[in-house]
Amino acid sequence: MMFETLIKFFKFCDEENRKKFTGSIIVGIFNSLFMALRIAAVAVMLRGVIGTAIYKLPFETKTIWISFAIMCVSIVGGIITRKVTAMWQCEGGYRTCAKKRIEIAEHLRYLPMGYFNKNSLGEITSVTTNTMEAVGDIATRAVMMVFQGLLDTALIVVMLFFFDWRIALVALAGFSLFEFVNLFMRLAVKNVSADKIRVDAAEIGKVLEYIQGIAEVKAYNLVGKRNRELNEVIDRRKKTLIKMEMSCIPVSNIQSLVAKLTGVAMMIASIFFYLNNTMTLADCSTMLVCSFMLFNALEAGGNYSALLRTIDLGVTKASAILNLPTMDIEGKKNMAGEVSPSLQPASQSSATPTPRGNAPKTPDHFIEACSVDFSYDTGSKNPRKIIDNISLSIPERTTTAIVGPSGGGKTTFCHLLARFWDVDSGKVTLNGTDVRDYSMDDLMKNYSFVFQNVYLFHDTIANNIRFGQPDAPMEKVIAAAKKACCHDFISALPNGYDTVIGEGGASLSGGERQRISIARAIMKDSPIIILDEATANVDPENERDLMAAINELTKEKTVIMIAHRLKTVRNADQIVVIDRGRIAEQGNHEELVAKGGIYSRFITSRKEAVSWKL
């Protein structure tokens, strides 16, 4: 099992860092040889001293120099090889950790959004933090110390065969017994290691949930309940870690006892052979010294071997994320940000509105949904059908408003248009070509999004605006901010555009976050804009500026908006009412009001709500 873990760890590393680890092993072999030379240095000196004291042989000065030279080679070589090994191991470990984090982040970009519904944020965060930290730090140290301990001990045992094969066999028997006991240590932590991985993820998930929902927790006076849940998770992790340590300690003590008793056995055997005149005093003395040296490295490596199971599980979990099937991200065509004019759009229905502005006869960003079906939890026994046989045409440079009851499938349908998910059946086309036939990165260049809940990163305001164009000059950032009506409030901040905002944009108001999000979308300058209730939670003071920002963003664009406000819906080129996953009504404002259906009732309820006064 130990070597399986070592092999799995090496396969997990990328080729560049695998070379570093391989190099560190090769250098480690030389390090072990240099360490083993200490036995030769001791043997040379003891033979010289004992020969003079017992056999009255002349003591030659060169004996001291030979022993000193061997010891110097051993010490200097050991220092150099140990430094090189440590450096390569650290570089390989930390670079592997960094690259795998980036690789996981890139991989997550191309997973269907459904994955994030079925997997907790704590699970993903735990893998990218705890697991990768273990790989970068603990795993590297544990794997290399275990391997180095085995290597050092093996070379010393081999060298003992050159002095006395009987003592070498005693050492080999002790080495085998040590590894047998060490197997029980790894088995003892096998189940606890899996529990540790689970409680790590549970703790991170509960902490994130508590922090992100602290406002609701306070508002509903759930502080005690939530504290209790968080404390229970933390306490469970504490007990798991204690259990893991307690399962190792008894076996570790037995392992240490085996190492010490093996040294004692070597000493007793050496003295016995000397007294029976089958071993010289010099060799006996050398063996006595070796009995103290033999298990130092192995004992240290053996204690670390308990962590191998945790490392094995961590690498397995990280690999499991990387092996999750992504959507077809390469596609069959390369859009390069634009659709080839030769690609003809699918036929339009007579109900399709005429594109506004000077749109070409063959639209460049024509979107069509053809008999689209989509369900959540498709792998379960009871999948939830959200979109049911929807067909819709959205010509270039038109505004399509999507309205309907909450939970009717509006947001899901917009996500399907942008291929956040793949449809179960039917297809979504852009300029007549299935969106699945384009590379994901090129497809995304054509879409900008402004969501109801805006997420800003813990960075400067300027970097949040230039998020889609990291190298954009400051002039473009300011120009986008002015168009989004946020230049004035940004300039009033202590550090202006260099002001660092908290994670999620917590230090800004909702309207300010929305306008920065719009400035970000303006910077991206995509031809298709999807607005998901972008004005739903904006106060009246910010609404005017926000609407001006949206108007600037949507000029000469294909706009798809989910909205509940009458003033943002009534001027749309077409209005689509989605109810229970189906298109219930479709037309412009006047047509739908005249029908007296869902939309008409929606308008009436909005007018009544506006008329309420205190």
Side-chain angles (χ1 to χ4, degrees):
M1 188 176 74
M2 179 187 297
F3 288 102
E4 288 178 2
T5 301
L6 295 176
I7 292 169
K8 182 182 288 188
F9 175 73
F10 271 74
K11 286 183 178 179
F12 182 73
C13 301
D14 62 286
E15 185 176 354
E16 178 185 352
N17 292 304
R18 199 180 301 129
K19 288 180 179 178
K20 286 186 179 294
F21 286 126
T22 303
S24 71
I25 289 174
I26 294 172
V27 175
I29 294 173
F30 286 99
N31 179 259
S32 297
L33 289 171
F34 285 125
M35 293 300 102
L37 282 177
R38 292 176 296 179
I39 298 175
V42 170
V44 169
M45 181 59 71
L46 286 175
R47 284 176 177 175
V49 171
I50 291 173
T52 301
I54 304 298
Y55 304 109
K56 307 301 181 183
L57 297 174
F59 185 79
E60 298 181 359
T61 307
K62 71 177 183 178
T63 302
I64 299 176
W65 289 111
I66 292 172
S67 178
F68 178 73
I70 295 173
M71 188 61 74
C72 284
V73 171
S74 173
I75 293 172
V76 174
I79 291 172
I80 294 173
T81 52
R82 190 160 54 248
K83 179 183 177 182
V84 173
T85 301
M87 287 298 297
W88 284 357
Q89 288 172 6
C90 287
E91 287 180 8
Y94 289 120
R95 286 180 179 175
T96 294
C97 172
K99 287 188 175 182
K100 288 299 176 181
R101 278 180 171 143
I102 294 171
E103 191 176 336
I104 289 173
E106 286 294 312
H107 192 76
L108 291 174
R109 288 176 56 204
Y110 301 112
L111 292 178
M113 290 295 291
Y115 169 79
F116 302 98
N117 291 335
K118 293 182 290 186
N119 295 268
S120 70
L121 183 59
E123 179 88 10
I124 300 170
T125 306
S126 179
V127 171
T128 54
T129 53
N130 289 351
T131 302
M132 287 300 100
E133 186 68 23
V135 170
D137 187 4
I138 300 172
T140 304
R141 191 174 305 167
V143 168
M144 292 307 166
M145 285 200 71
V146 170
F147 189 85
Q148 193 67 45
L150 291 172
L151 192 60
D152 287 352
T153 305
L155 284 175
I156 291 174
V157 170
V158 169
M159 183 165 282
L160 288 178
F161 275 100
F162 290 97
F163 288 90
D164 193 291
W165 62 271
R166 297 166 298 181
I167 302 300
L169 288 177
V170 173
L172 184 60
F175 175 60
S176 301
L177 183 59
F178 183 95
E179 285 303 307
F180 180 73
V181 174
N182 186 259
L183 174 62
F184 282 96
M185 178 184 287
R186 296 195 296 274
L187 292 175
V189 300
K190 181 178 180 180
N191 294 328
V192 186
S193 297
D195 291 339
K196 179 186 179 300
I197 297 291
R198 281 194 294 269
V199 296
D200 282 349
E203 183 185 55
I204 290 178
K206 187 58 68 176
V207 169
L208 288 171
E209 179 188 271
Y210 185 83
I211 293 172
Q212 292 173 343
I214 191 66
E216 285 75 12
V217 169
K218 288 184 176 181
Y220 290 93
N221 198 27
L222 296 173
V223 175
K225 181 177 183 292
R226 291 299 175 184
N227 273 345
R228 187 165 59 253
E229 290 178 358
L230 179 60
N231 290 339
E232 286 174 356
V233 171
I234 293 173
D235 189 57
R236 190 158 60 246
R237 183 170 185 267
K238 178 193 72 174
K239 290 178 179 178
T240 301
L241 293 176
I242 292 174
K243 182 180 178 182
M244 187 173 183
E245 289 297 322
M246 294 304 294
S247 63
C248 291
I249 289 173
V251 185
S252 178
N253 289 335
I254 296 173
Q255 188 175 255
S256 180
L257 181 62
V258 168
K260 300 296 189 296
L261 290 177
T262 301
V264 172
M266 289 173 62
M267 295 171 67
I268 293 173
S270 298
I271 295 171
F272 176 79
F273 293 142
Y274 169 69
L275 293 176
N276 283 279
N277 296 318
T278 57
M279 180 183 287
T280 65
L281 180 60
D283 285 348
C284 178
S285 301
T286 302
M287 293 301 100
L288 293 177
V289 173
C290 286
S291 67
F292 290 97
M293 297 170 53
L294 179 62
F295 283 98
N296 284 342
L298 184 62
E299 196 170 357
N303 291 332
Y304 270 96
S305 67
L307 295 173
L308 291 181
R309 177 60 182 169
T310 303
I311 295 164
D312 185 278
L313 289 172
V315 169
T316 299
K317 288 187 76 67
S319 298
I321 292 180
L322 291 171
N323 291 331
L324 284 170
T326 61
M327 294 188 293
D328 181 13
I329 61 176
E330 295 300 328
K332 299 171 186 174
K333 300 179 184 294
N334 191 327
M335 294 179 67
E338 295 183 14
V339 182
S340 170
S342 63
L343 297 175
Q344 296 298 320
S347 60
Q348 302 179 30
S349 65
S350 59
T352 301
T354 303
R356 68 174 182 271
N358 297 318
K361 292 181 180 180
T362 301
D364 288 330
H365 296 93
F366 180 94
I367 305 170
E368 187 163 34
C370 306
S371 303
V372 169
D373 285 333
F374 178 77
S375 300
Y376 289 129
D377 303 325
T378 52
S380 67
K381 293 181 179 179
N382 299 306
R384 296 183 297 122
K385 193 161 192 177
I386 305 299
I387 302 299
D388 187 6
N389 195 32
I390 286 184
S391 295
L392 178 67
S393 296
I394 303 175
E396 185 197 32
R397 300 184 191 177
T398 63
T399 296
T400 297
I402 299 177
V403 300
S406 179
K410 303 184 298 296
T411 297
T412 300
F413 179 64
C414 287
H415 286 173
L416 291 172
L417 295 180
R419 208 194 166 195
F420 279 19
W421 288 286
D422 279 335
V423 299
D424 295 338
S425 63
K427 63 180 179 179
V428 175
T429 63
L430 178 57
N431 197 30
T433 301
D434 197 316
V435 292
R436 290 169 291 193
D437 291 342
Y438 299 118
S439 75
M440 181 61 74
D441 288 338
D442 283 338
L443 181 66
M444 285 298 103
K445 290 177 184 177
N446 290 270
Y447 292 89
S448 287
F449 305 88
V450 179
F451 298 110
Q452 178 181 356
N453 298 316
V454 175
Y455 190 88
L456 300 179
F457 295 90
H458 181 68
D459 204 340
T460 64
I461 289 179
N463 285 341
N464 268 282
I465 293 175
R466 61 160 69 98
F467 185 72
Q469 295 185 35
D471 300 324
M474 198 63 198
E475 293 76 15
K476 288 190 68 175
V477 173
I478 294 173
K482 287 180 177 179
K483 290 180 179 180
C485 301
C486 53
H487 174 71
D488 291 341
F489 84 78
I490 294 174
S491 300
L493 293 172
N495 296 312
Y497 284 86
D498 292 326
T499 301
V500 176
I501 56 179
E503 185 176 351
S507 57
L508 301 175
S509 71
E512 289 170 342
R513 291 198 299 270
Q514 284 284 16
R515 279 180 276 161
I516 289 177
S517 174
I518 292 171
R520 179 193 291 169
I522 290 173
M523 279 283 289
K524 190 179 179 185
D525 194 27
S526 299
I528 302 169
I529 310 295
I530 296 181
L531 305 171
D532 189 350
E533 301 192 59
T535 62
N537 298 325
V538 178
D539 53 79
E541 291 78 7
N542 281 309
E543 185 174 7
R544 180 177 57 83
D545 287 340
L546 185 60
M547 292 306 300
I550 289 176
N551 289 336
E552 188 65 38
L553 170 66
T554 57
K555 281 182 179 178
E556 299 302 315
K557 307 288 187 182
T558 302
V559 181
I560 304 165
M561 64 165 67
I562 300 172
H564 287 152
R565 297 196 177 195
L566 176 59
K567 64 179 66 177
T568 58
V569 172
R570 66 182 306 152
N571 295 323
D573 295 297
Q574 69 170 334
I575 300 168
V576 179
V577 182
I578 295 182
D579 182 24
R580 299 179 184 179
R582 288 177 170 269
I583 294 180
E585 297 175 346
Q586 182 177 355
N588 59 37
H589 175 73
E590 288 75 16
E591 291 171 347
L592 294 181
V593 169
K595 284 184 178 180
I598 295 176
Y599 181 79
S600 179
R601 293 193 294 272
F602 163 76
I603 295 300
T604 301
S605 64
R606 288 296 179 271
K607 286 181 178 179
E608 289 175 352
V610 171
S611 67
W612 278 74
K613 295 182 180 179
L614 293 177

